[in-house]
């Protein structure tokens, strides 16, 4: 009787293992999933991002439907900043193995390592020949910085704006903006 129980337990364990691997073909693992994400998310194109953390938050493998749904969060970094994102991937089982059918990014954040300062943007205005430059307003966004100034040049007061955009591939752009003369009252 004990021997029959042991045999049944072994067969039951094998059946569970086989069902978890969809008829003996293992579901995609961590490295495959990361490679698929990097190939399908444009933030990885030319940015040099390296994955620093990875977590499968949920997984639903349905052998009957030959589908494997995987929910993932990851963090990647490079010399300019960090990128965090959540994904839902769908793999379908074919005769030659699991193939990625869909890779949806649910959300993401981009966080620069540093931000341009008001002083750096002000210096770009001073370098253009403005004097008596003062900050009027500063706006910091996730991947943008904008500063409004007033300055004096060519015998008049000017309203000046300067801004920078952030990219994971190249860091912060050079300051760009416009200057408009102030109306004389």
């Amino acid at each position: 009787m004990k021997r029959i129980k042991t045999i049944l337990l072994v067969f039951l364990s094998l059946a569970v293992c086989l069902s978890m691997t969809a008829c003996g073909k293992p579901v995609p693992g961590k490295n495959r999933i990361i490679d698929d994400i990097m190939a399908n998310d444009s933030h990885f194109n030319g940015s040099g991002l390296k994955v620093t953390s990875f977590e499968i938050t949920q997984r639903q493998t349905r052998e009957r439907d030959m589908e494997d749904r995987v929910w993932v969060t990851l963090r990647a970094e490079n010399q300019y900043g960090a990128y965090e994102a959540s994904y839902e991937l769908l793999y379908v089982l074919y005769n030659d193995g699991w193939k990625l059918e869909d890779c949806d990014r649910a959300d993401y954040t981009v966080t620069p390592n540093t931000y341009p300062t008001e002083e750096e943007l002000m210096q770009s205005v001073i370098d253009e020949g403005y004097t008596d430059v003062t900050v009027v307003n500063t706006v910091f966004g996730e991947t943008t910085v904008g500063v409004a100034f007033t300055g004096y040049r060519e015998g008049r007061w000017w309203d000046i704006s300067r801004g920078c955009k952030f990219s994971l591939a190249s860091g912060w752009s050079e300051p760009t903006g416009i200057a408009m003369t102030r109306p004389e009252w």
Side-chain angles (χ1 to χ4, degrees), residues 29-183:
K30 173 185 174 181
N31 291 338
R32 163 86 184 274
I33 294 169
I34 289 173
D35 289 345
D36 287 340
I37 288 171
M38 291 176 76
N40 285 279
D41 186 337
S42 62
H43 282 93
F44 287 94
N45 294 346
S47 65
L49 284 169
K50 300 216 182 323
V51 175
T52 56
S53 70
F54 172 88
E55 180 183 5
I56 296 175
T57 58
Q58 185 178 348
R59 185 167 218 152
Q60 182 180 43
T61 305
R62 296 189 325 197
E63 179 182 345
R64 179 177 42 117
D65 298 328
M66 297 187 293
E67 286 185 355
D68 182 33
R69 285 193 185 276
V70 186
W71 289 265
V72 171
T73 59
L74 67 74
R75 177 180 174 89
E77 300 175 4
N78 67 11
Q79 71 270 28
Y80 302 116
Y83 175 67
E84 295 181 30
S86 300
Y87 303 88
E88 179 182 345
L89 295 91
L90 172 64
Y91 291 92
V92 174
L93 182 61
Y94 291 94
N95 290 338
D96 58 342
W98 292 98
K99 301 290 183 197
L100 179 68
E101 290 291 320
D102 198 14
C103 179
D104 288 328
R105 184 180 59 211
D107 57 27
Y108 72 93
T109 58
V110 173
T111 308
N113 288 338
T114 61
Y115 286 86
T117 64
E118 286 178 352
E119 291 78 18
E120 290 170 328
L121 293 173
M122 183 184 286
Q123 188 60 51
S124 75
V125 172
I126 292 169
D127 290 347
E128 291 178 10
Y130 293 93
T131 60
D132 298 321
V133 177
T134 58
V135 174
V136 176
N137 189 26
T138 303
V139 178
F140 285 95
E142 188 175 277
T143 58
T144 58
V145 174
V147 181
F149 302 96
T150 59
Y152 192 78
R153 185 175 82 174
E154 300 169 354
R156 343 172 136 140
W157 285 97
W158 296 76
D159 290 325
I160 309 152
S161 68
R162 287 292 179 268
C164 297
K165 290 187 77 175
F166 180 78
S167 160
L168 284 165
S170 58
W172 288 100
S173 66
E174 290 296 317
T176 60
I178 60 169
M180 300 183 305
T181 60
R182 296 181 97 186

